[in-house]
Amino acid sequence: MPTALTFKMPDSKVKLKNLKEQIQALNFEWQAPDEAINSKIDFASSSLAFQNGQYLVNGKETEVQVNSNMENTDKPTPTPALFKGFFRVEGQIITVFFAIIFTVLIIFIAFGRKIYKNMFKR
């Protein structure tokens, strides 16, 4: 039966160790994806394949090195918002533009009403 396991990501080594122990304590037989998945991708000059838990490049078995040393990774630096000021100024310009249009519309309505009333006074 397919099962999904969800958990809160641990933020320390102790919590990670506890999480691993909790998962191992579950009485489940987990599927090994390397035994069930076979795939192949062909490129113009080479082919990559994954069969029976082995990576193959152009039909030859290859060992894949995984570097999971998380301690040496740099923290991402936030990128500055490029258009933040532009959109703030643009919003103010549009507000002024609509205020002017609204004012002109009110003036037209006032004059039109006055002209309409004057038509019946004669």
Side-chain angles (χ1 to χ4, degrees), residues 32 39 61 87 105 109:
S39 63
E61 186 177 319
F87 288 119
L105 181 64
I109 289 173

Side-chain angles (χ1 to χ4, degrees), residues 5 16-30:
L5 181 64
L16 178 64
K17 182 182 174 193
N18 290 340
L19 178 65
K20 285 181 180 179
E21 290 174 357
Q22 289 174 359
I23 292 173
Q24 290 172 351
L26 296 174
N27 191 18
F28 285 118
E29 184 177 323
W30 302 101

Side-chain angles (χ1 to χ4, degrees), residues 91-104:
Q92 292 173 349
I93 291 171
I94 289 174
T95 302
V96 169
F97 177 72
F98 279 112
I100 292 170
I101 289 176
F102 185 69
T103 305
V104 170

Side-chain angles (χ1 to χ4, degrees), residues 1 9-10 58 75 97 105 111 113 116:
M1 170 187 282
M9 290 299 290
N58 294 331
K75 292 185 178 180
F97 177 72
L105 181 64
F111 281 133
R113 186 172 183 209
Y116 186 74

Side-chain angles (χ1 to χ4, degrees), residues 3-69:
T3 303
L5 181 64
T6 59
F7 54 88
K8 182 179 177 187
M9 290 299 290
D11 56 359
S12 69
K13 288 186 178 184
V14 174
K15 290 181 181 177
L16 178 64
K17 182 182 174 193
N18 290 340
L19 178 65
K20 285 181 180 179
E21 290 174 357
Q22 289 174 359
I23 292 173
Q24 290 172 351
L26 296 174
N27 191 18
F28 285 118
E29 184 177 323
W30 302 101
Q31 178 184 5
D34 58 348
E35 295 174 2
I37 298 174
N38 291 324
S39 63
K40 184 176 182 181
I41 301 173
D42 291 322
F43 296 99
S45 62
S46 62
S47 67
L48 300 174
F50 183 79
Q51 295 175 346
N52 301 323
Q54 299 295 323
Y55 289 95
L56 306 171
V57 177
N58 294 331
K60 296 178 184 175
E61 186 177 319
T62 311
E63 183 176 333
V64 176
Q65 303 267 336
V66 177
N67 184 7
S68 64
N69 189 358

Side-chain angles (χ1 to χ4, degrees), residues 69-119:
N69 189 358
M70 295 300 290
E71 295 173 2
N72 294 337
T73 58
D74 296 331
K75 292 185 178 180
T77 57
T79 57
L82 298 175
F83 296 108
K84 184 177 181 181
F86 172 74
F87 288 119
R88 188 183 71 236
V89 171
E90 184 182 45
Q92 292 173 349
I93 291 171
I94 289 174
T95 302
V96 169
F97 177 72
F98 279 112
I100 292 170
I101 289 176
F102 185 69
T103 305
V104 170
L105 181 64
I106 295 294
I107 292 170
F108 281 155
I109 289 173
F111 281 133
R113 186 172 183 209
K114 185 177 180 182
I115 292 171
Y116 186 74
K117 281 185 176 181
N118 286 340
M119 283 178 21

